[in-house]
Amino acid sequence: MHKLPKLAAIILVGSTSPMFADGPIGLWNMVGLANAPSTMEMIEGTTGSIMLASSTDLWDWSAAPEGFPSLVTAKCTQSVALTTDGQPTGGVGVCSMMDPDGDLAIYFGEITPQMEYIGSLTAGSGKYEPLVGQEFTATVTGMLSTGQQMYHVVPAN
């Protein structure tokens, strides 16, 4: 049997984004609010399953440098492999966003069995383009039974 709170945490920990400091060298911390998944599908196998989920998250970029918005939303999708007893073995997640200026960013990362999300900005336009390749780590800091959760993003280096 799958444990919904743990699965929801894995789904939504993938819904994160790196924040960049005064230029392309550094990152800043960020807080995210993951909504409960808007879609979820389980592919059941004989030796495990794959959970596919999508959500729309709210990202608090209040620490962002000038020129970046202080609040954005992102569409996030995750694919997570699970053991037969519902424990995560790993996965991937992608979050895509367009800010109020029309600049785009796509973030990709690995979801670990420890429920961390290790990723980077993989594509961007406008102000995000010079930041492609910046890396981050995200962890869940709190979760409700509905699957909504808070997470914290920090620089990888």
Side-chain angles (χ1 to χ4, degrees):
M1 177 173 194
H2 301 292
K3 298 177 182 168
L4 183 59
K6 183 169 234 177
L7 295 180
I10 295 165
I11 292 168
L12 300 175
V13 77
S15 306
T16 59
S17 164
M19 305 299 102
F20 302 94
D22 300 316
I25 295 174
L27 299 169
W28 68 77
N29 292 348
M30 180 280 272
V31 175
L33 170 63
N35 291 305
S38 55
T39 64
M40 183 184 294
E41 176 185 355
M42 293 295 290
I43 301 172
E44 301 286 342
T46 56
T47 59
S49 1
I50 299 173
M51 180 179 52
L52 306 169
S54 298
S55 64
T56 300
D57 291 11
L58 180 64
W59 294 341
D60 176 358
W61 285 8
S62 57
E66 189 171 329
F68 286 82
S70 61
L71 196 63
V72 295
T73 59
K75 302 275 186 185
C76 301
T77 59
Q78 296 80 38
S79 296
V80 179
L82 306 167
T83 63
T84 54
D85 64 353
Q87 298 301 309
T89 61
V92 295
V94 177
C95 291
S96 303
M97 51 104 18
M98 180 175 66
D99 73 14
D101 299 326
D103 293 336
L104 309 172
I106 299 173
Y107 304 92
F108 174 82
E110 174 187 350
I111 301 167
T112 72
Q114 295 76 34
M115 296 177 18
E116 287 184 315
Y117 185 81
I118 300 166
S120 67
L121 174 64
T122 59
S125 68
K127 63 182 134 316
Y128 304 98
E129 187 174 2
L131 307 173
V132 170
Q134 294 291 306
E135 297 176 347
F136 64 93
T137 301
T139 54
V140 174
T141 58
M143 185 175 64
L144 299 174
S145 62
T146 60
Q148 294 172 300
Q149 65 185 265
M150 298 294 296
Y151 50 87
H152 191 229
V153 178
V154 296
N157 302 325

